Short mmCIF file of all heavy atoms in Angstrom, two decimals:
data_model
loop_
_atom_site.label_atom_id
_atom_site.label_comp_id
_atom_site.label_asym_id
_atom_site.label_seq_id
_atom_site.Cartn_x
_atom_site.Cartn_y
_atom_site.Cartn_z
N HIS A 1366 62.27 114.54 39.38
CA HIS A 1366 62.65 115.78 38.69
C HIS A 1366 63.39 115.51 37.39
O HIS A 1366 64.11 116.36 36.88
CB HIS A 1366 63.41 116.70 39.65
CG HIS A 1366 62.59 117.00 40.86
ND1 HIS A 1366 61.55 117.91 40.84
CD2 HIS A 1366 62.57 116.43 42.09
CE1 HIS A 1366 60.95 117.90 42.03
NE2 HIS A 1366 61.55 117.02 42.80
N ILE A 1367 63.20 114.31 36.85
CA ILE A 1367 63.65 114.04 35.49
C ILE A 1367 62.70 114.80 34.55
O ILE A 1367 61.48 114.77 34.73
CB ILE A 1367 63.60 112.53 35.19
CG1 ILE A 1367 64.70 111.81 35.98
CG2 ILE A 1367 63.73 112.26 33.70
CD1 ILE A 1367 64.68 110.30 35.85
N GLN A 1368 63.28 115.49 33.55
CA GLN A 1368 62.43 116.24 32.63
C GLN A 1368 61.78 115.30 31.63
O GLN A 1368 62.44 114.52 30.96
CB GLN A 1368 63.26 117.30 31.90
CG GLN A 1368 62.36 118.21 31.06
CD GLN A 1368 63.12 119.30 30.35
OE1 GLN A 1368 64.36 119.29 30.29
NE2 GLN A 1368 62.39 120.26 29.80
N VAL A 1369 60.45 115.37 31.53
CA VAL A 1369 59.74 114.48 30.61
C VAL A 1369 58.98 115.26 29.53
O VAL A 1369 58.41 114.66 28.63
CB VAL A 1369 58.77 113.53 31.36
CG1 VAL A 1369 59.55 112.59 32.26
CG2 VAL A 1369 57.74 114.32 32.18
N THR A 1370 58.96 116.59 29.62
CA THR A 1370 58.33 117.40 28.57
C THR A 1370 59.00 118.76 28.57
O THR A 1370 59.54 119.19 29.60
CB THR A 1370 56.81 117.57 28.80
OG1 THR A 1370 56.31 118.52 27.84
CG2 THR A 1370 56.51 118.10 30.18
N ASP A 1371 59.00 119.44 27.40
CA ASP A 1371 59.52 120.82 27.42
C ASP A 1371 58.38 121.83 27.33
O ASP A 1371 58.59 122.99 27.02
CB ASP A 1371 60.59 121.05 26.34
CG ASP A 1371 60.17 120.54 24.99
OD1 ASP A 1371 58.94 120.30 24.82
OD2 ASP A 1371 61.03 120.39 24.12
N ASP A 1372 57.17 121.37 27.61
CA ASP A 1372 56.02 122.28 27.67
C ASP A 1372 56.24 123.30 28.80
O ASP A 1372 56.29 122.93 29.98
CB ASP A 1372 54.77 121.43 27.96
CG ASP A 1372 53.51 122.29 28.03
OD1 ASP A 1372 53.64 123.53 28.08
OD2 ASP A 1372 52.41 121.71 28.07
N PRO A 1373 56.37 124.60 28.45
CA PRO A 1373 56.66 125.61 29.49
C PRO A 1373 55.52 125.78 30.50
O PRO A 1373 55.72 126.39 31.55
CB PRO A 1373 56.88 126.90 28.67
CG PRO A 1373 56.25 126.65 27.34
CD PRO A 1373 56.25 125.18 27.11
N ALA A 1374 54.34 125.24 30.18
CA ALA A 1374 53.22 125.37 31.12
C ALA A 1374 53.36 124.41 32.30
O ALA A 1374 52.70 124.56 33.33
CB ALA A 1374 51.91 125.11 30.40
N VAL A 1375 54.23 123.38 32.16
CA VAL A 1375 54.40 122.41 33.24
C VAL A 1375 55.53 122.87 34.15
O VAL A 1375 56.71 122.60 33.92
CB VAL A 1375 54.69 121.00 32.68
CG1 VAL A 1375 54.85 120.00 33.82
CG2 VAL A 1375 53.57 120.55 31.75
N VAL A 1376 55.18 123.62 35.18
CA VAL A 1376 56.18 124.18 36.09
C VAL A 1376 56.18 123.34 37.37
O VAL A 1376 55.13 123.11 37.97
CB VAL A 1376 55.85 125.65 36.43
CG1 VAL A 1376 56.90 126.21 37.39
CG2 VAL A 1376 55.79 126.48 35.16
N CYS A 1377 57.37 122.90 37.76
CA CYS A 1377 57.50 122.04 38.94
C CYS A 1377 57.78 122.90 40.18
O CYS A 1377 58.30 124.00 40.08
CB CYS A 1377 58.61 121.04 38.72
SG CYS A 1377 58.83 119.89 40.08
N ARG A 1378 57.50 122.33 41.34
CA ARG A 1378 57.78 123.05 42.59
C ARG A 1378 59.27 123.25 42.82
O ARG A 1378 59.68 124.08 43.62
CB ARG A 1378 57.17 122.30 43.78
CG ARG A 1378 55.67 122.47 43.83
CD ARG A 1378 55.08 121.59 44.88
NE ARG A 1378 55.36 120.18 44.57
CZ ARG A 1378 54.82 119.17 45.22
NH1 ARG A 1378 54.02 119.41 46.22
NH2 ARG A 1378 55.10 117.93 44.89
N CYS A 1379 60.09 122.47 42.10
CA CYS A 1379 61.53 122.64 42.26
C CYS A 1379 62.02 123.86 41.47
O CYS A 1379 63.18 124.24 41.58
CB CYS A 1379 62.28 121.39 41.80
SG CYS A 1379 62.32 121.17 40.02
N GLY A 1380 61.14 124.45 40.66
CA GLY A 1380 61.52 125.62 39.89
C GLY A 1380 61.83 125.32 38.44
O GLY A 1380 61.94 126.23 37.62
N ASN A 1381 61.97 124.04 38.11
CA ASN A 1381 62.27 123.67 36.73
C ASN A 1381 60.98 123.43 35.93
O ASN A 1381 59.88 123.37 36.48
CB ASN A 1381 63.15 122.41 36.69
CG ASN A 1381 64.59 122.73 37.05
OD1 ASN A 1381 65.10 123.79 36.70
ND2 ASN A 1381 65.22 121.82 37.78
#
Side-chain angles (χ1 to χ4, degrees):
H1366 302 283
I1367 290 176
Q1368 187 178 11
V1369 295
T1370 172
D1371 48 16
D1372 180 349
V1375 180
V1376 180
C1377 182
R1378 285 173 299 189
C1379 74
N1381 284 324

